[in-house]
Amino acid sequence: MRTVSHILVAVAAFSISGVVAQNYDVSSSAPGYAIKGKVHKTRSGLEIPLELNDGDGVDLYGKTIRDLVVNVDFETADRLHVKIGDKDEKQIPVPDHAYGLERPKTRKPAKKLNYDFKYTENPFGFQVIRKVDKEVIFDTSDYPLVFEDQYLELSTAVPNDANLYGIGEVTAPFRRNNEQNVTTVFARDAGTPFYENIYGAHPYYNEIRKGKAHGVFLLNAHGMDVFFSEGRVTYKVIGGVLEFYFFVPKDGKPNSVLEKYTDLVGKPFMPAMWMLGWHHCRYGFKNISHVNWAVDGYAKANIPLETIWVDIDYMDHMKDFTFDEINFPEESMVALSEKMHANNQRMITMVDPALSNNDSYLPYEHGKEMDVFMKNSDGSEYIGQVWPGFTVFPDWWHPNVTEYWDYWIIDWMKKLDLDGLWIDMNEPASFCLGSCGDGKANTDPPLQWELPEEDQIRIHAEEEAALKARGVSIPGDDRNLLYPNYAINSGGGNLSERTAPMTSLHHGGISHYDYHNLYGHAECSLTRNSLLKYKPDERPFILTRSSFSGSGQYVGHWTGDNHSSWAKLKNSIAEIFNFQMFGIAYSGADVCGFFDNATETLCTRWMEIGAFYPFARNHNTLVASHQEPFLWERTAEASRRALAVRYALLPYYYTLFEEAHRVGTGVWRPLIFAHPEVDAFLDNDVQTLVGTDILLTPVVEENATSVEGQFPEGIWYDWYTYESHVSTSPEEKVTLEAEMEHIPVHIRGGAILPLKTPAYLVKDTYASPYTLLVALDQDGEAEGRLYIDDQHSVQQPATSDITFSYKRGVLRAKGKFDYADAEKVGTIKIVGADDLTTASYNGKKFDLESKDGAIVLEGADIELTCGFTVKFR
């Protein structure tokens, strides 16, 4: 029997946005739990009954639950499931559903586990141990377990200077530090302030320890604080259960951890090829002519544009499924869609969840008849305020909402022949504190932040009083849902600030308090299904603001309302790293920034790295100045150069997305995830690996014309000149020239890249023959992969999956060659070989040419319908 020490390290409280984070020591007197009775073996593991120990320190922030059950499931060799729940099952977990998380059904315990699980009897604690090196990777033994109806606490020991990545959504450096040591997980409409909770909820982290990685996921949709402090990680959660998953791959590679994590939550969706082109949007297009001006401006500047987006500007009083008949009449929007499609381009519009509750608005009347909107605790419709004015909100858990949402989404898609949808404000956002009040149906109420300060204070006080007057609980539930005793460190303060009141209801009497972090996630799943009903054979395109663990199987994500600043440019890279790790491979940030005015220099540098975002789009707000890249010649030139590299790499990007969809790894990868053994990469969250073979070193500082970069061991070739850099010391920082229009891009020696000739459109780019770029390593070898399908269908009748290898002067292609319409290989370039003069293929002899730093075979005319061999001499 082991005894828990209550000698805890005091952590100073600090304040963010006026909310004080409570320190650890409040729970140090908690009595903990002991095993009660017999530990049972189950079909897949263990069942451990717990009972509260006698003593003080109960009811710290809620009502202590005395009897618990711990279920331990050895689900796979790499994944351990530990769930600590209340015996009576009154606490509300994440639902076992597509709108929560569909758990795997484990029939029997896995064999040859990569981990051990150990526990102590009194007080109960447990350890997860990595077998390969006996490292204890999760250890609750020396910290109290607190389990109350509205407060759950559990801690684990970690190294003093732990390398922790994840927990969000938050705007922060990729490697989390101990200075801002609390991360709040609570979906919130906020314009990306540093170190505060924003749109999504992802209670997952990846730790790298002694060069090996593991992952920890707390499956819980309630608000929580996660403290990263010296020697410790502590979870403080305001409801639900403690349902943990641990991911311990045998090889200890961070990318293997992501593979195991997405095995559970779902693999990223497979985008269509056109989705990998360049996108443009503006909140503040004044009319349809303004949109056409942007489309034509790209064409005149010869900057690739694949998709035009129209924000809420097109709507009649910002109501979904309507048109502003003065500035965006229906016939002009249809004409824009036809114009884009005639040019082999695409069009997307926004649809928000909040719907006007005016009686004359058909979507409201329809939804009211079907009873699909969220309710107040007294059964009346919950009324919020968003862009259309006073609004209602679909309840995604209502049995009628699928029919309702399908009808309006499919009708809207047909009306404009749209290529996808953009979902915003789905935390859900609302401009009132809680309910705006009963019976309100004004389309154009004033926006509070535009009123005089004294009026804002008065209205806020009135809303607070009205919120309290409705009561803090719901029928049959005596929890304090509005003001739980433990106040998570939400940047918004009150949990109901700028969202639905926590006492509003979903179908089945479930409070919004219990489902808040799932609202956007549920909408994503439902909307994807609607689009599949509209066009069952086409891969749906949906971009969301709010997300939860597993949303990546349905949608892509942009990082929200960032700012046109150098700090936000730099941090956008870390944010995308996070979402790659969270399983949302199709992700990106608003290029050039959303708020504030972008300068020519800032927009130029942002276009350079933004051109390589997995999801690449320029977007800004109506009160900011124009930032279309064609407005500044230097920005236009930088955009053309960077997008030419992206479009040349489209076969490589597409292959990476197929890998992400099948395996679960990210498209963008931090250096430390590729090389966890190199401590010098731990804090590098600027340089970016695209897959394994392309290294980006962007300029993220104003007025800089050079940038320092680090290189993993081996040969790296400059994309533009093929000049080689041999790295023997990854710790060394190398200065790279980077004039204003240039972003340094390097190719890993040992890679074979399938390339295309970049054109204005994705379709025209892909119509060109393949070029195989063979970049040799120090041993004169290289390898690569190419995935080919029809680029848009959900189900593929025929695909090709080709592996290339080069060794001892012989290039070979092997694999699956079922896709009959693949373009031919026209050119082969070999970089890093100086003595090659001829090549032979299929009985033909070719003279090689030395051109621009490469040995080039042109006119190869090789069909990609079967394997082939090319011999070089």
Side-chain angles (χ1 to χ4, degrees), residues 714-792:
I715 302 177
W716 292 85
Y717 298 96
D718 186 288
W719 169 273
Y720 311 94
T721 66
Y722 300 139
E723 180 181 348
S724 63
H725 170 76
V726 179
S727 173
T728 58
S729 175
E731 293 80 6
E732 177 188 3
K733 292 189 176 180
V734 180
T735 299
L736 305 171
E737 295 302 315
E739 71 274 10
M740 183 60 67
E741 295 88 355
H742 179 75
I743 175 173
V745 180
H746 287 82
I747 307 161
R748 182 183 63 83
I752 298 178
L753 297 174
L755 307 176
K756 290 285 188 176
T757 301
Y760 188 72
L761 297 174
V762 168
K763 181 178 180 181
D764 294 338
T765 297
Y766 238 82
S768 64
Y770 285 97
T771 293
L772 294 183
L773 178 59
V774 182
L776 301 182
D777 63 14
Q778 286 126 317
D779 298 322
E781 299 178 1
E783 59 185 10
R785 177 175 176 260
L786 172 63
Y787 172 79
I788 308 173
D789 63 14
D790 74 0
Q791 305 178 8
H792 65 90

Side-chain angles (χ1 to χ4, degrees), residues 248-270:
V248 194
K250 191 171 184 178
D251 63 10
K253 295 179 179 179
N255 287 323
S256 297
V257 175
L258 302 193
E259 178 182 347
K260 306 310 175 186
Y261 174 63
T262 52
D263 281 347
L264 176 70
V265 302
K267 304 296 183 184
F269 82 96
M270 181 65 188

Side-chain angles (χ1 to χ4, degrees), residues 339-579:
K339 169 185 173 179
M340 297 301 291
H341 293 142
N343 292 335
N344 291 310
Q345 294 170 295
R346 309 283 174 160
M347 179 172 162
I348 289 171
T349 66
M350 178 180 283
V351 173
D352 288 339
L355 302 168
S356 170
N357 66 332
N358 279 347
D359 289 341
S360 60
Y361 181 51
L362 290 179
Y364 171 66
E365 286 298 294
H366 184 196
K368 187 175 182 179
E369 289 173 6
M370 298 186 74
D371 192 32
V372 297
F373 300 128
M374 289 174 59
K375 302 292 193 296
N376 291 310
S377 56
D378 60 6
S380 61
E381 286 180 346
Y382 158 59
I383 297 174
Q385 180 185 351
V386 195
W387 303 120
F390 293 118
T391 57
V392 289
F393 294 78
D395 174 10
W396 308 121
W397 289 269
H398 195 284
N400 295 338
V401 80
T402 298
E403 178 185 347
Y404 170 78
W405 198 241
D406 284 350
Y407 175 85
W408 289 102
I409 291 297
I410 293 171
D411 179 74
W412 182 245
M413 296 295 291
K414 286 180 178 177
K415 192 170 289 185
L416 289 177
D417 191 17
L418 291 172
D419 298 285
L421 291 177
W422 175 21
I423 304 171
D424 193 14
M425 311 294 286
N426 56 337
E427 290 71 32
S430 174
F431 304 151
C432 301
L433 171 59
S435 172
C436 296
D438 296 331
K440 294 187 176 182
N442 185 355
T443 299
D444 297 304
L447 298 171
Q448 290 185 23
W449 57 86
E450 295 179 351
L451 297 173
E453 183 176 354
E454 58 271 20
D455 289 342
Q456 294 184 43
I457 294 172
R458 174 183 54 78
I459 292 172
H460 194 274
E462 291 171 354
E463 290 174 348
E464 181 90 24
L467 188 66
K468 292 178 179 178
R470 284 189 182 272
V472 300
S473 61
I474 60 176
D477 187 343
D478 60 359
R479 292 175 299 167
N480 188 331
L481 302 179
L482 295 181
Y483 308 100
N485 289 330
Y486 180 80
I488 61 172
N489 200 49
S490 175
N494 191 313
L495 294 180
S496 304
E497 190 79 44
R498 291 182 67 92
T499 191
M502 296 297 105
T503 49
S504 57
L505 290 175
H506 296 282
H507 181 73
I510 304 297
S511 70
H512 191 66
Y513 180 95
D514 295 304
Y515 275 5
H516 172 77
N517 280 342
L518 296 172
Y519 188 86
H521 176 69
E523 183 185 14
C524 292
S525 177
L526 187 64
T527 305
R528 180 177 175 82
N529 288 335
S530 297
L531 294 190
L532 283 170
K533 292 171 186 174
Y534 167 56
K535 288 187 177 181
D537 296 328
E538 292 292 318
R539 297 174 198 166
F541 179 100
I542 305 168
L543 193 78
T544 185
R545 191 168 78 173
S546 188
S547 60
F548 185 73
S549 303
S551 293
Q553 63 189 306
Y554 310 128
V555 295
H557 170 72
W558 95 107
T559 61
D561 297 343
N562 60 2
H563 293 72
S564 295
S565 71
W566 291 93
K568 289 299 174 70
L569 162 58
K570 177 181 183 294
N571 203 79
S572 72
I573 299 167
E575 292 175 86
I576 295 170
F577 284 164
N578 269 316
F579 275 91

